[in-house]
Amino acid sequence: MTIIKNGTVVSAEGLTKADVAFENDVITLVAPAIEAGAGDHVIDAEGCLIFPGFIDGHTHLDMDSGTSVTADDFASGTTAAVCGGTTTIVDFATQDKGNTLMHALESGHKKADGKSAANYAFHMAITDWNDETKAELPLMKEAGVTSFKAYYAYDALRVDDGEMLQILRALKPLGGVLGVHCENGTLVNALQAELKAAGKLSPAAHPASRPPVVEAEAIRRLCAVAKLADMPVHIVHLSSEEGLSEVRRARQDGQKIWAETCPQYLLLDDSRYELEGFEGAKYVISPPLRSKMDQLALRKAVINDEIDTISTDHCSYNFEGQKTMGINDFTKIPNGAPGIEHRPVLFYTSFVASGEQTPSDMCRLLSENPSKLFGMWPRKGQIAVGADADITIWDPSTKGVITAAAQHQAVDYTPFEGFETVGCARYVFVNGLLTATDGMPTEVMAGQYVRR
Ligand code: URP
Ligand code: ZN
Ligand code: ZN
């Protein structure tokens, strides 16, 4: 048995001084003082917070965008994740047009099985909606997939409103949750063409091709479709105040809308696109970084409990050789940026150490809510007897600086270079196995598929 002594257990409800014991991969006791017996392994967590391992509900590892494969695969991406305190990720299995959902799930497993330091699950991204795809949905449930994804942008991936309606209706009897990438792809294509025709080819044109209204319009439309289907929906990577207004409008209308945002939209702004040379390419993500006003609006929404989850949308491409593919044309820059390693420390520093949020808020946004939303509760997202031994022991006393040189993400930059941080993941257990200490990996690939 392993006993974590002298720490403070964090839940979404509050903090409790308690010891935590686990045996193999299950938490067996949470009590004020647990006596260690012969053979027990004791960890001193004096001054530390004991969080249920953080869950990142939005990552893209070993993903082929059609022109590039992400720099991080499951080995490097999940190793980076555990170094930062994330013990479970939900990645994407994406249907190829003309192919089955099962094929997509099998290829997700081939990429991840036996190669992951963190636990992993898959959202199933539906890109080719037809009768065969519909017939496969119950099989997905049997295979442990309870969350799905659809895109309103990207020509190779997007579905139209009629298809979105049918997908939502088909998911209703299964109880599956649908996350949606909300950007109007038709408008994006038109704006990209206009900008290119005007000779605007640098990364600075990227945000101009995807302004907030492109996001807000898609959110509004999705909410209308969801209302028609009488289904809740999950808005992924919410980036703008205008988009947030649409979420509020639908909620006021009585709809159940979950909203996710990401550290990049809370901490970075669109001035990054004006950086010297081609540097702005590092921030070519979709939706793009927004104005300081948007950033402030989203930060307030986090504090007001209008945001349900904070995920990374980790999608790493090297600056050299991958982002540079778009040196003469911003539309050829692969979209995405890394973040899987740094989400907990960025949130802790910017919201908890600053006093704007509590450790319990962090637990709710980074552990409990994603667990509940994605069908992992009560096994994950809480420190409780019978829950999985996915545990992040957080030391709030340390200070650091984020650099690409020190990161474990297998990519040649970080958008958060030079950010000063407070706190670190001192010990990270995945299924009861130690996978990282003080931000360094133990190289134990303890991750298992999370059948939901
Ligand atoms: O730019 C991004 N976010 N790339 C990853 C794919 C997506 O849209 O989530
Ligand atoms: Zn997306
Ligand atoms: Zn994404």
Side-chain angles (χ1 to χ4, degrees):
M1 187 162 76
T2 300
I3 305 170
I4 304 167
K5 290 189 73 68
N6 310 319
T8 300
V9 173
V10 185
S11 76
E13 282 70 47
L15 306 183
T16 315
K17 249 337 228 170
D19 295 347
V20 178
F22 60 88
E23 194 139 26
N24 302 318
D25 56 356
V26 179
I27 296 174
T28 49
L29 192 57
V30 181
I34 303 173
E35 285 305 312
D40 287 340
H41 178 54
V42 175
I43 290 183
D44 185 7
E46 182 70 49
C48 292
L49 298 165
I50 305 171
F51 282 98
F54 301 119
I55 299 169
D56 189 341
H58 189 156
T59 66
H60 301 269
L61 299 176
D62 203 347
M63 188 191 83
D64 189 346
S65 70
T67 57
S68 307
V69 178
T70 54
D72 279 298
D73 59 11
F74 277 80
S76 68
T78 58
T79 296
V82 295
C83 288
T86 293
T87 55
T88 300
I89 62 162
V90 193
D91 208 89
F92 294 89
T94 302
Q95 179 188 28
D96 292 323
K97 280 201 195 292
N99 221 323
T100 63
L101 301 182
M102 196 49 89
H103 177 78
L105 186 59
E106 282 164 5
S107 33
H109 277 292
K110 274 194 202 125
K111 291 173 183 178
D113 291 354
K115 293 175 216 158
S116 292
N119 295 313
Y120 54 94
F122 300 104
H123 305 291
M124 177 53 62
I126 300 170
T127 65
D128 197 354
W129 182 247
N130 53 46
D131 287 346
E132 289 76 47
T133 305
K134 184 177 176 185
E136 279 195 281
L137 293 180
L139 302 181
M140 290 298 106
K141 196 172 177 184
E142 278 168 34
V145 175
T146 59
S147 53
F148 297 81
K149 172 90 178 274
Y151 291 83
Y152 265 148
Y154 306 127
D155 290 346
L157 303 175
R158 64 184 158 127
V159 299
D160 66 24
D161 292 323
E163 291 166 332
M164 193 71 83
L165 177 65
Q166 288 174 14
I167 292 169
L168 280 166
R169 285 199 166 131
L171 289 177
K172 198 170 189 177
L174 294 175
V177 53
L178 184 69
V180 181
H181 176 122
C182 288
E183 286 186 301
N184 181 322
T186 310
L187 286 179
V188 170
N189 289 349
L191 292 171
Q192 284 183 338
E194 270 179 28
L195 287 155
K196 282 168 70 164
K200 296 189 173 155
L201 299 167
S202 78
H206 176 70
S209 72
R210 312 177 98 101
V213 66
V214 160
E215 175 176 67
E217 186 281 331
I219 294 175
R220 191 182 185 96
R221 192 155 35 91
L222 175 69
C223 291
V225 173
K227 189 173 179 181
L228 208 52
D230 190 23
M231 273 287 279
V233 275
H234 179 221
I235 313 286
V236 302
H237 50 45
L238 179 66
S239 67
S240 65
E241 185 169 24
E242 219 170 316
L244 175 63
S245 300
E246 293 301 336
V247 172
R248 285 183 178 143
R249 194 197 51 74
R251 283 176 177 166
Q252 273 157 16
D253 199 25
Q255 287 187 255
K256 180 73 203 162
I257 309 289
W258 290 290
E260 167 200 87
T261 193
C262 314
Q264 52 271 33
Y265 302 118
L266 299 167
L267 292 163
L268 305 175
D269 64 66
D270 54 7
S271 60
R272 301 272 170 154
Y273 297 113
E274 307 302 333
L275 290 171
E276 285 280 293
F278 194 58
E279 273 294 287
K282 292 179 177 173
Y283 309 93
V284 168
I285 58 175
S286 292
L289 298 177
R290 304 299 190 187
S291 70
K292 286 203 167 59
M293 294 289 285
D294 288 292
Q295 190 191 102
L296 202 63
L298 287 176
R299 290 185 67 93
K300 279 193 189 145
V302 168
I303 290 161
N304 295 337
D305 202 11
E306 294 178 279
I307 298 293
D308 300 288
T309 61
I310 296 182
S311 312
T312 59
D313 196 10
H314 176 94
C315 186
S316 58
Y317 294 105
N318 284 311
F319 181 72
E320 295 297 341
Q322 292 192 297
K323 291 285 188 182
T324 48
M325 289 188 324
I327 193 117
N328 297 317
D329 176 354
F330 73 96
T331 65
K332 298 204 163 53
I333 302 170
N335 280 207
I340 201 168
E341 188 166 352
H342 300 126
R343 176 187 63 137
V345 81
L346 288 168
F347 188 86
Y348 189 84
T349 303
S350 178
F351 284 91
V352 182
S354 69
E356 290 180 70
Q357 291 267 268
T358 64
S360 290
D361 293 318
M362 180 158 166
C363 182
R364 175 172 45 79
L365 288 159
L366 273 64
S367 295
E368 186 173 311
N369 281 357
S371 168
K372 287 180 171 167
L373 179 56
F374 300 130
M376 301 183 205
W377 187 265
R379 275 178 57 200
K380 300 199 184 293
Q382 63 170 338
I383 300 288
V385 173
D388 292 350
D390 296 340
I391 301 171
T392 294
I393 302 178
W394 189 263
D395 182 351
S397 71
T398 63
K399 289 196 163 41
V401 179
I402 293 176
T403 63
Q407 73 185 0
H408 298 88
Q409 300 171 147
V411 57
D412 61 4
Y413 79 99
T414 159
F416 304 104
E417 184 75 31
F419 269 58
E420 294 182 358
T421 58
V422 182
C424 82
R426 167 136 291 177
Y427 299 102
V428 181
F429 292 94
V430 173
N431 302 316
L433 297 172
L434 186 64
T435 56
T437 51
D438 292 320
M440 299 300 287
T442 61
E443 313 280 351
V444 174
M445 301 312 251
Q448 298 288 331
Y449 175 58
V450 185
R451 182 174 281 277
R452 298 174 289 142

